[in-house]
Amino acid sequence: QVQLVESGGGSVQPGGSLRLSCKGSRITFGAYIMGWYRQAPGRQRDLVATITHDGRANYGDSVKGRFTISRDNAQSTVYLQMNSLKSEDTAVYYCNARLNFPKSDYWGQGTQVTVSS
């Protein structure tokens, strides 16, 4: 069974930084588009960033210039470096692995990020 395990969440003050990690197991990690999504209370799950197998990144508008997604295929791990954090970044952050053909879609259990003074 595929597993995606996130880590690195926590509480930080506005302007601070956090680095999230997501390690995949039982998955051909290098073949997948990896992504981070987030969901705040009462809101839908939104795109934060995605990265293709060869490192092409895409970001949601609200995090451009502040967050950086990267991956290490040898370690089956995707990272999200979050800088200049704002209160509105507070959410549960989910790791996602997606393959378009054959169609596959997996989610991690989520990790809480709280930005508050």
Side-chain angles (χ1 to χ4, degrees):
Q1 184 176 354
V2 172
Q3 283 190 319
L4 299 174
V5 180
E6 300 103 333
S7 61
S11 295
V12 64
Q13 293 186 339
S17 299
L18 282 174
R19 188 193 196 203
L20 305 183
S21 300
C22 170
K23 186 170 179 61
S25 59
R26 304 185 188 91
I27 186 174
T28 309
F29 187 87
Y32 281 74
I33 299 169
M34 299 301 299
W36 289 95
Y37 293 76
R38 66 187 183 187
Q39 188 167 19
R43 303 193 65 175
Q44 66 180 17
R45 191 172 295 187
D46 290 329
L47 167 73
V48 176
T50 61
I51 186 167
T52 63
H53 70 285
D54 57 353
R56 286 172 288 138
N58 178 59
Y59 296 93
D61 288 341
S62 63
V63 306
K64 285 180 181 176
R66 300 188 298 122
F67 291 10
T68 302
I69 189 170
S70 60
R71 66 190 295 164
D72 183 340
N73 290 334
Q75 297 297 321
S76 297
T77 302
V78 61
Y79 303 97
L80 184 69
Q81 178 66 44
M82 304 185 293
N83 298 329
S84 302
L85 282 160
K86 306 175 182 179
S87 58
E88 51 262 46
D89 295 317
T90 295
V92 177
Y93 284 69
Y94 294 92
C95 178
N96 173 256
R98 176 169 58 87
L99 197 62
N100 291 326
F101 185 82
K103 190 171 177 60
S104 303
D105 195 25
Y106 302 103
W107 292 91
Q109 82 286 354
T111 187
Q112 177 71 45
V113 171
T114 302
V115 184
S116 174
S117 56

